[in-house]
Amino acid sequence: MSHIAITMPVFNELLEPQDIAPSLDFANTGTLVCQDVPEIELRAKIRFILNDKVKFAIGSTDEIKRLMRHWRAKLSPDIESTDEIFVSGFEYDEELTDLASEAPIIRLVNHLFARALDLNASDIHFEPSATNLDVRCRVDGIMTRIERLPIKIHTAVASRLKLMARLDIGEKRLPQDGRIDYQIGSKQLDMRVSTLPGVHGESVVLRILDRSDTAVSLQQLGMPADVLRQYRELITQPNGMVLITGPTGSGKTTTLYATLEKINSEKQKIITVEDPVEYQLEGITQIQANASIGLSFATGLRSIVRQDPDVIMVGEIRDHETAEIAIESALTGHLVFSTLHTNDAAGAVTRLQDMGVAGYLISSSLLAIQAQRLVRRVCTDCSNTSELTDDEANALEIEKQICPTVNRGTGCDRCGGTGYRGRIGLYELLVMSDAIRHHIATDADANVIREQAIAEGMRTLRQDALEKLKAGITTPEEVVRVTRAI
């Protein structure tokens, strides 16, 4: 390995004696020459990215500039000499491609992917600011920063990600979307990539989809036993529509895939139209919606009906046309599954009415509406039992005797010090009855429908959350965070 010259901020820790190169005679020693002293953690990261045999040495500004000029001229004689290794101004796509293909950048990006996988992150965010490139992950629904890099490296990292996603590496003014197929160990990852131009550079977000983690059964989702029994009966009906509702990131897609896996058999033809197709299911025909070529949910759904399906899954009902075709399909002998973005189960009826669907059509086609959320689980390796405080009881709007003790995680290596590991679903299943169908057909308010469902035994999201709190599965803070807006 050749010498590399780099400038770093001043740190308080001194280099350990074995880390320091014996002299500034840099002939083929694999030495990293620094203007200031890097701390131990940073040295470990540098060795991971470059080479575990890297030595460190302190050099003057003049010596570092001389080394930069020497190696820049030797390695890239056609590129004008510069005092920076990573610079932000590149005019040609070829230069960006070369930068993104350098081994240190490849290792850095791979290292960040591995860190995200270790945390079971669902998303990786690369966020440039005036001075830093922050790398944050969404772990169990909560954003966590895993790295802070110098802003000078941003162009190289962004170019590497765009190169992997087969995006236009030179286009920095417009948003772009792509995909990365990535193998790490035995895991095959499918990452959706989105770039967005910002004041300080492009923000890049990767959504991680683990293809080896698709075998989620309905029993693993966390449905209460009575809800699971009802839901299983509903999804074996010959026709009708089942809606899954909730905000983005509430596990709707996971529930739909688990449902399709449960009912999938050679005796039925199942077709889906999705945007995007997140996981590929064997034995099921899956269509990728693409609005740019005119293949919308409505267009795809209209074509699906002509394919003689038994079961249809529509990724999301977004407009009147899609809603109308889905309901017509449910009324003409098909079992239809889809999603809506609503706050609770009863709100889905109002949303369909707002889209222009007649109440009598909704009441005739719907079998059930399931609203859901995700709460973080208490880490089982560091959990302990403590008393519910008065403030927590007030926030939960319950009497202390209802749940006198709760489980909390103290933080350990397994959970990254958070006290939580993994998530579990909260569920509110509204099953159609004659009384509820009458309310819907007469355009009753969502509150009336909700009260009727509760009177008939529906467990609300808040009630399900409290049951999981009593069982020691989650914490008061999580219940309040997830259900306070419901």
Side-chain angles (χ1 to χ4, degrees):
M1 191 183 100
S2 301
H3 319 106
I4 300 174
I6 189 169
T7 58
M8 296 181 182
V10 178
F11 293 93
N12 293 326
E13 289 189 43
L14 296 176
L15 287 168
E16 298 173 7
Q18 66 268 25
D19 282 331
I20 303 176
S23 71
L24 292 181
D25 180 11
F26 304 112
N28 298 318
T29 58
T31 304
L32 187 73
V33 186
C34 311
Q35 185 176 9
D36 296 303
V37 181
E39 58 188 17
I40 294 173
E41 183 180 353
L42 182 55
R43 293 203 303 276
K45 292 177 183 176
I46 290 171
R47 285 191 173 117
F48 179 87
I49 296 168
L50 299 178
N51 189 312
D52 59 5
K53 294 182 173 59
V54 169
K55 292 285 186 178
F56 294 84
I58 305 302
S60 68
T61 302
D62 290 341
E63 287 169 326
I64 289 173
K65 288 183 176 180
R66 175 175 58 80
L67 283 167
M68 283 182 170
R69 286 193 296 269
H70 169 76
W71 288 106
R72 175 67 70 177
K74 186 170 182 177
L75 296 174
S76 304
D78 297 331
I79 299 177
E80 188 177 343
S81 178
T82 176
D83 288 342
E84 306 288 357
I85 289 182
F86 301 108
V87 298
S88 58
F90 287 86
E91 295 184 5
Y92 303 106
D93 291 359
E94 292 81 0
E95 294 178 0
L96 287 169
T97 302
D98 291 343
L99 183 68
S101 301
E102 291 179 359
I105 292 301
I106 294 173
R107 287 177 182 160
L108 172 61
V109 171
N110 291 348
H111 169 62
L112 294 172
F113 286 172
R115 286 279 304 277
L117 260 290
D118 287 342
L119 294 170
N120 288 321
S122 60
D123 304 83
I124 313 175
H125 296 241
F126 295 83
E127 303 168 327
S129 64
T131 56
N132 300 299
L133 172 61
D134 283 338
V135 184
R136 298 199 293 165
C137 290
R138 189 174 294 280
V139 181
D140 293 334
I142 305 297
M143 294 294 287
T144 304
R145 193 178 76 198
I146 63 168
E147 198 65 82
R148 172 162 280 179
L149 302 168
I151 190 60
K152 294 174 185 178
I153 207 171
H154 170 252
T155 298
V157 171
S159 297
R160 175 62 188 165
L161 295 172
K162 289 163 74 174
L163 191 65
M164 294 176 73
R166 296 178 179 84
L167 300 178
D168 184 350
I169 202 167
E171 179 56 76
K172 302 178 183 179
R173 301 165 299 174
L174 296 173
Q176 297 187 69
D177 295 299
R179 301 180 84 97
I180 294 175
D181 290 323
Y182 185 77
Q183 177 102 22
I184 180 166
S186 61
K187 288 183 176 288
Q188 181 67 38
L189 303 180
D190 183 4
M191 293 185 277
R192 286 156 41 193
V193 183
S194 172
T195 71
L196 188 69
V199 175
H200 301 293
E202 288 179 291
S203 170
V204 185
V205 177
L206 283 68
R207 176 76 185 275
I208 303 173
L209 304 171
D210 186 353
R211 290 182 189 167
S212 63
D213 191 27
T214 59
V216 178
S217 67
L218 288 174
Q219 294 93 322
Q220 295 173 298
L221 298 178
M223 291 184 192
D226 58 334
V227 172
L228 179 59
R229 184 176 61 255
Q230 283 183 296
Y231 188 77
R232 279 175 165 169
E233 291 175 0
L234 289 164
I235 64 177
T236 57
Q237 298 298 312
N239 59 275
M241 184 161 65
V242 177
L243 293 177
I244 310 295
T245 75
T248 300
S250 58
K252 299 189 299 296
T253 301
T254 301
T255 299
L256 285 176
Y257 279 127
T259 301
L260 295 181
E261 286 279 19
K262 177 67 178 176
I263 64 176
N264 188 17
S265 73
E266 291 184 355
K267 297 179 180 180
Q268 293 196 102
K269 183 176 181 67
I270 302 175
I271 307 180
T272 75
V273 54
E274 309 168 58
D275 184 19
V277 174
E278 296 192 1
Y279 299 113
Q280 296 177 15
L281 303 175
E282 189 172 350
I284 295 175
T285 303
Q286 296 172 270
I287 302 170
Q288 169 74 56
N290 188 343
S292 63
I293 60 171
L295 182 55
S296 62
F297 279 128
T299 305
L301 186 52
R302 190 178 289 108
S303 299
I304 283 175
V305 175
R306 303 190 194 109
Q307 291 281 311
D308 187 32
D310 298 294
V311 180
I312 299 170
M313 192 269 270
V314 187
E316 183 184 348
I317 294 178
R318 297 176 179 173
D319 52 43
H320 170 76
E321 187 179 8
T322 307
E324 194 173 58
I325 301 170
I327 286 174
E328 286 177 2
S329 301
L331 291 172
T332 54
H334 304 90
L335 181 60
V336 180
F337 296 96
S338 192
T339 70
L340 277 175
H341 288 279
T342 62
N343 215 30
D344 60 7
V349 175
T350 304
R351 179 62 56 85
L352 290 173
Q353 290 171 335
D354 290 343
M355 290 180 184
V357 181
Y360 72 92
L361 290 175
I362 300 172
S363 65
S364 301
S365 60
L366 270 180
L367 293 173
I369 306 166
Q370 179 166 272
Q372 61 183 70
R373 296 289 190 281
L374 293 174
V375 290
R376 292 186 289 174
R377 289 176 177 266
V378 175
C379 175
T380 54
D381 289 338
C382 62
S383 67
N384 57 30
T385 303
S386 61
E387 185 180 349
L388 184 73
T389 67
D390 292 334
D391 288 342
E392 288 170 340
N394 291 333
L396 293 168
E397 300 176 348
I398 62 172
E399 300 293 333
K400 282 187 67 174
Q401 59 265 29
I402 293 177
C403 184
T405 60
V406 294
N407 279 359
R408 308 177 201 273
T410 58
C412 64
D413 292 339
R414 291 290 303 278
C415 62
T418 63
Y420 299 96
R421 193 165 81 248
R423 289 186 289 178
I424 191 171
L426 305 179
Y427 298 94
E428 175 181 292
L429 182 61
L430 190 159
V431 180
M432 292 295 115
S433 66
D434 290 340
I436 293 174
R437 291 185 194 280
H438 174 74
H439 287 311
I440 295 173
T442 55
D443 296 333
D445 183 79
N447 290 327
V448 175
I449 298 170
R450 178 182 174 84
E451 291 302 321
Q452 179 66 42
I454 292 172
E456 293 177 4
M458 182 184 78
R459 182 187 291 107
T460 66
L461 287 167
R462 170 60 73 94
Q463 290 169 338
D464 191 23
L466 291 175
E467 290 299 319
K468 289 179 169 67
L469 177 65
K470 292 177 190 177
I473 296 172
T474 190
T475 64
E477 293 84 0
E478 276 296 284
V479 173
V480 172
R481 179 181 71 85
V482 173
T483 66
R484 62 188 167 194
I486 300 171

